Amino acid sequence: MTSLLDGLNPEQLAAVTLPGQSALILAGAGSGKTRVLTTRIAWLIQTGQVSPLGILAVTFTNKAAKEMLTRLTGMLPINTRGMWVGTFHGLSNRLLRTHHREAGLPQLFQILDSADQLSAVKRLLKALNVDTEKFEPKKVQYFISGNKEAGLRPQQVEVFDPYTRRLVEFYAAYDEQCNREGVADFPELLLRSYELLARNDALRAHYQERFRHILVDEFQDTNRLQYRWLKQFAGAQSVLMAVGDDDQSIYAFRGAHTGNMNEFQRDYAGDNVIKLEQNYRSHGNILDAANALITQNQSRLGKNLWTAEGKGEPIRVYEAYNDQEEAGFIVEEVKALQREGTALMDMALLYRSNAQSRVLEHALFSAGVAYRVYGGLRFFERQEIKHALAYLRLLANPDDDGAFSRVVNFPTRGIGARTLEQLADAAQAGGTSLWQAARAKAPASKDSAKGLPGFVALMQAMQDATQGLPLPEAIEHVLHMSGLAAHYQAEKEGADRLENLNELINAATVFANDPEAMAELDEAGGPLASFLAHAALEAGDHQAGAGSDALQLMTVHAAKGLEFHAVFLGGLEEGLFPHEQSMNEQDGIEEERRLMYVAITRARRRLYLSHAQSRMLHGQVRYGIPSRFLDELPSALLKLVNARRMATASSAYHGDAAPASATRQRNTSPWRIGMNVRHAKFGVGVVVSVEGQGDDTRVQINFGGANGMKWLALEYARLEPA
DNA sequence: CTGCCATTCGTTTTT
DNA sequence: CGAATGGCAG
């Protein structure tokens, strides 16, 4: 019989079979992290150290949770049903449904995704007559979520100025609104679960007794609240294993707290730190480059990846004249690789920000190369799906004002802004929900299909018609009775949306036939509620059409956890990567460097890095200097794949793409836009613009990095061509 | 309740 | 430059 442990390297083996002690696993990129995690669980169960129900395994994404369960069932003939393997939010949802009474929530509480949360904030600010110029809804939302993720309720937020005081008031009013409506946003799921366990000794004791082994994936991405959440489940006899890589922490901007790794060491692991440094993904040169780069970071726990494989090819570096030419080069290389037999699917174009995909897409489209862009709207975030779900939410919970507002006049049934304002006032005065106010104000009348009475009648009819029906059939009724189906049928561009609505019925059918999902029905409060929770917690795929051989385009963030035979990383210029907004932030550069590290370590065999002397940004040409990250890579590992050309020589590539700057050069000075210069104090930079004549000539130079943009008077500044 | 124009604003994103 | 709002007129 083959053992679970076959083929593990010594460090992996040590991590998998660590006896009953907590440990921190520092798992480098491509070091078999998921394998260790799942094998550990399987080993614990197989050796009888714990029952499947004694495991608590937490991940960040649904994808990771599913992957873990799939691999687990492949290793052991166990029933994963009832096992606590899931995301922080998914498991919180489960806990809160089970103990909704103790948590002070209705059983059918609805989950607000970020967009729903933003509408809820807007609605609140409107009701409070707040000037949204002064208090932007986005900022208010960010404030509320940020505090929740730090574990702070309104009373606990420190107030040191009137502006913050106001924000705290909004936070408090927002929470009241959510409670009144019976809804919970994403951070609320976590905070509420945390508070439930922190306050309820019996419940906490129960779960601590149950979970003997707690395992956390991507620990470097946890925020403060998530760590506190975990600690509630950890009892005196619990064994914790946190797996993470501080070098791949790229989500500080959304609250990830790398300090959790140090705290975890202090609280649980002590000296039990196992480093997984053998990389099974990339060739040596790629790893050497990644290592050299990341050692520039001051704050890290320290790790060095190595591989048993050879050095492989050098990293190719390309300097383009502009962004279009950069795209042209990439497309040519992609086609060449494709001819050599690399599948498009196994190549990726990575970039720092989504805006960069445009030029690449254009070039790919012109060249007839199939590609797929990740990111953008996901299935359950589409307008028509949101509308349909809002009807369903209203059926499950009539007090959900957010859902009510969304569909009361969609499709339009002649309910104007004035009516709604009156309704909102009535609801506020009576302390009721919009639905209750509507019912009081406009009792359903049979003959009026329009107006508020029509809507009240509609909802009641819908309630009756869907009562007791299986989920997919109920949804079909809702789509037709609400008029959504007819509305999109009539719309010129509605075909896709109609198709999506049908897809929603499909999704419900699949969901209703999924024994996993159905097993939790009782605690979830019925099929409708659990389907709605599923829709909110798992927004679905970004795009359909997977499987076909297409080049993959995505941000570096989106590429985390993936690997490709060949990786192209473009836009390596100061201000873009590292992004200029990060330069001001605390530890911003270090996070950008980790991002670069993530990008490099995605490549198995071939890595291209490119930058452009100029690129179109915000409608104007911007001149950039090469990213500092290029300088931080050992030049012995790099191969420059183009002879350094003067700007003028580039016309050979794109005769029609003459720089806009040429027309702006209306002076006679020897300094040209785009040329490299050296300044005694500021170092090497690029001339960005030139103004004035003769002695009055001033030039603007981008020195990048700490020096940034500078205007220099030629009369005084001593510049020399570089 | 559309549709049109003006204005604004441009990182990264999962749940 | 171009998307994405938001306000206002019809």
Side-chain angles (χ1 to χ4, degrees):
Chain A
M1 167 186 146
T2 60
S3 161
L4 285 174
L5 309 178
D6 285 347
L8 294 174
N9 69 36
E11 292 76 30
Q12 291 175 331
L13 185 68
V16 166
T17 62
L18 192 79
Q21 308 160 29
S22 294
L24 175 64
I25 313 298
L26 284 180
S31 66
K33 172 191 66 135
T34 311
R35 181 172 181 201
V36 165
L37 215 41
T38 45
T39 312
R40 164 86 174 167
I41 297 175
W43 180 78
L44 287 169
I45 295 172
Q46 195 184 50
T47 55
Q49 298 181 60
V50 67
S51 108
L53 297 182
I55 299 276
L56 171 62
V58 197
T59 64
F60 257 82
T61 63
N62 293 300
K63 199 175 149 202
K66 262 187 215 140
E67 165 95 12
M68 206 183 274
L69 282 173
T70 313
R71 289 212 203 177
L72 212 47
T73 45
M75 292 185 201
L76 286 181
I78 52 162
N79 190 349
T80 56
R81 186 174 300 176
M83 270 183 85
W84 276 51
V85 177
T87 63
F88 281 100
H89 294 86
L91 296 175
S92 293
N93 177 52
R94 187 191 285 192
L95 184 79
L96 292 175
R97 299 281 171 194
T98 312
H99 307 287
H100 68 271
R101 216 177 294 275
E102 295 92 324
L105 284 168
Q107 187 185 21
L108 297 185
F109 74 86
Q110 300 301 310
I111 300 169
L112 304 186
D113 66 19
S114 307
D116 297 332
Q117 187 191 23
L118 183 60
S119 340
V121 168
K122 284 182 180 161
R123 210 150 32 78
L124 175 83
L125 295 181
K126 200 167 178 193
L128 295 177
N129 268 321
V130 174
D131 177 9
T132 48
E133 295 275 281
K134 215 170 157 209
F135 294 96
E136 292 165 52
K138 278 244 176 61
K139 296 268 172 64
V140 176
Q141 178 189 26
Y142 181 79
F143 179 85
I144 294 173
S145 290
N147 280 114
K148 286 188 181 184
E149 277 164 1
L152 301 173
R153 287 295 182 189
Q155 321 80 268
Q156 299 161 306
V157 179
E158 239 184 286
V159 174
F160 31 81
D161 60 83
Y163 187 78
T164 314
R165 184 184 312 280
R166 211 66 215 291
L167 286 172
V168 170
E169 284 168 22
F170 299 153
Y171 179 9
Y174 170 82
D175 266 2
E176 267 173 45
Q177 175 179 287
C178 288
N179 287 333
R180 203 165 50 234
E181 297 173 11
V183 297
D185 57 42
F186 284 138
E188 182 70 27
L189 293 176
L190 284 161
L191 184 52
R192 190 78 68 137
S193 313
Y194 162 75
E195 289 170 345
L196 172 68
L197 293 178
R199 282 182 201 149
N200 194 323
D201 295 342
L203 208 56
R204 189 175 62 251
H206 166 77
Y207 281 105
Q208 291 188 350
E209 175 63 26
R210 170 176 172 178
F211 295 125
R212 297 307 171 103
H213 282 272
I214 300 174
L215 303 98
V216 200
D217 191 16
E218 304 279 14
F219 190 69
Q220 77 283 352
D221 287 339
T222 52
N223 62 35
R224 287 188 154 85
L225 177 58
Q226 282 158 340
Y227 187 41
R228 287 166 69 175
W229 185 98
L230 280 167
K231 285 168 114 174
Q232 291 304 314
F233 287 97
Q237 86 303 332
S238 305
V239 177
L240 286 80
M241 177 170 280
V243 181
D245 180 0
D246 55 323
D247 291 332
Q248 291 189 74
S249 163
I250 54 175
Y251 287 112
F253 75 92
R254 65 172 198 218
H257 179 58
T258 7
N260 282 348
M261 298 189 88
N262 297 310
E263 282 166 38
F264 181 80
Q265 249 181 300
R266 190 193 63 206
D267 297 340
Y268 299 100
D271 294 331
N272 269 331
V273 178
I274 298 175
K275 292 183 186 180
L276 305 181
E277 296 175 298
Q278 182 173 2
N279 173 292
Y280 296 93
R281 179 184 296 155
S282 311
H283 270 165
N285 285 338
I286 293 171
L287 289 184
D288 289 349
N291 283 331
L293 179 90
I294 202 66
T295 45
Q296 310 271 332
N297 271 2
Q298 299 301 307
S299 64
R300 55 191 295 260
L301 299 171
K303 210 171 6 66
N304 226 25
L305 295 178
W306 62 276
T307 177
E309 307 225 26
K311 287 280 176 197
E313 302 174 26
I315 293 162
R316 290 161 166 81
V317 176
Y318 183 79
E319 175 174 40
Y321 168 60
N322 62 18
D323 47 354
Q324 298 190 26
E325 200 235 292
E326 180 188 41
F329 166 76
I330 291 174
V331 171
E332 286 311 311
E333 288 296 319
V334 165
K335 284 162 80 176
L337 281 168
Q338 196 185 12
R339 280 193 297 273
E340 288 167 23
T342 307
L344 284 175
M345 216 170 51
D346 214 5
M347 297 185 242
L349 271 44
L350 307 184
Y351 33 80
R352 172 67 240 263
S353 61
N354 285 307
Q356 287 168 256
S357 76
R358 175 194 295 278
V359 182
L360 295 168
E361 285 185 71
H362 182 79
L364 289 166
F365 187 81
S366 309
V369 178
Y371 67 91
R372 216 180 136 204
V373 187
Y374 286 76
L377 265 198
R378 304 162 81 195
F379 182 71
F380 286 107
E381 291 168 353
R382 289 164 194 282
Q383 183 209 179
E384 62 277 17
I385 301 299
K386 281 269 184 190
H387 280 130
L389 292 177
Y391 276 105
L392 295 170
R393 273 166 55 177
L394 215 46
L395 288 179
N397 171 13
D399 293 337
D400 187 337
D401 284 357
F404 182 96
S405 309
R406 183 167 198 114
V407 295
V408 63
N409 197 36
F410 193 95
T412 56
R413 41 179 78 86
I415 302 172
R418 217 171 52 86
T419 316
L420 290 178
E421 208 157 299
Q422 286 170 353
L423 198 61
D425 288 345
Q428 197 158 26
T432 70
S433 65
L434 292 173
W435 166 251
Q436 284 170 28
R439 217 172 37 168
K441 187 165 176 286
S445 75
K446 281 265 157 37
D447 32 67
S448 68
K450 294 241 166 212
L452 210 50
F455 181 69
V456 173
L458 169 67
M459 289 313 295
Q460 283 171 348
M462 223 183 250
Q463 189 71 260
D464 292 342
T466 55
Q467 201 61 247
L469 283 186
L471 195 53
E473 288 174 43
I475 294 178
E476 203 161 355
H477 273 282
V478 168
L479 294 182
H480 287 105
M481 294 178 74
S482 66
L484 276 179
H487 172 84
Y488 288 118
Q489 194 122 49
E491 208 173 59
K492 299 174 285 300
E493 317 263 300
D496 280 353
R497 298 192 188 275
L498 209 55
E499 201 173 305
N500 285 331
L501 288 176
N502 282 323
E503 192 50 45
L504 180 66
I505 301 176
N506 266 347
T509 311
V510 171
F511 186 79
N513 290 323
D514 178 4
E516 261 326 304
M518 289 297 105
E520 293 164 24
L521 228 53
D522 287 340
E523 57 193 42
L528 178 54
S530 59
F531 181 65
L532 289 172
H534 165 80
L537 291 172
E538 203 170 332
D541 281 330
H542 276 294
Q543 265 151 328
S548 58
D549 185 34
L551 181 65
Q552 321 224 45
L553 272 67
M554 66 190 86
T555 62
V556 180
H557 281 92
K560 191 173 137 193
L562 306 177
E563 60 176 68
F564 309 92
H565 177 269
V567 166
F568 294 80
L569 178 61
L572 282 166
E573 294 128 48
E574 286 290 301
L576 236 196
F577 199 176
H579 199 279
E580 58 191 335
Q581 307 240 108
S582 309
M583 301 200 196
N584 318 319
E585 286 166 24
Q586 179 83 349
D587 303 323
I589 287 296
E590 297 220 338
E591 176 143 322
E592 295 286 308
R593 194 175 281 115
R594 290 193 293 268
L595 197 52
M596 178 79 183
Y597 176 78
V598 168
I600 293 174
T601 53
R602 296 311 96 195
R604 284 201 295 264
R605 296 293 175 258
R606 199 177 268 220
L607 176 62
Y608 289 86
L609 307 175
S610 59
H611 63 101
Q613 293 171 3
S614 77
R615 84 173 52 237
M616 202 62 147
L617 202 66
H618 304 331
Q620 42 181 348
V621 180
R622 286 264 303 248
Y623 295 84
I625 63 173
S627 168
R628 70 190 71 185
F629 297 148
L630 287 168
D631 298 331
E632 293 173 2
L633 305 177
S635 51
L637 305 174
L638 310 180
K639 178 182 167 195
L640 300 171
V641 290
N642 61 338
R644 197 187 165 80
R645 276 169 292 105
M646 284 280 93
T648 48
S650 73
S651 49
Y653 278 77
H654 277 265
D656 56 339
S661 59
T663 57
R664 298 208 316 226
Q665 290 179 22
R666 56 201 176 280
N667 60 75
T668 52
S669 86
W671 309 104
R672 290 278 179 274
I673 289 174
M675 90 185 281
N676 292 314
V677 295
R678 176 175 286 111
H679 182 271
K681 185 144 158 242
F682 302 131
V684 176
V686 183
V687 177
V688 170
S689 56
V690 183
E691 253 182 20
Q693 296 283 323
D695 279 357
D696 288 336
T697 310
R698 298 195 315 139
V699 291
Q700 190 183 26
I701 298 170
N702 182 1
F703 289 104
N707 294 322
M709 291 282 204
K710 289 264 189 309
W711 274 107
L712 299 174
L714 285 183
E715 198 181 349
Y716 310 110
R718 280 216 308 263
L719 291 174
E720 53 182 277

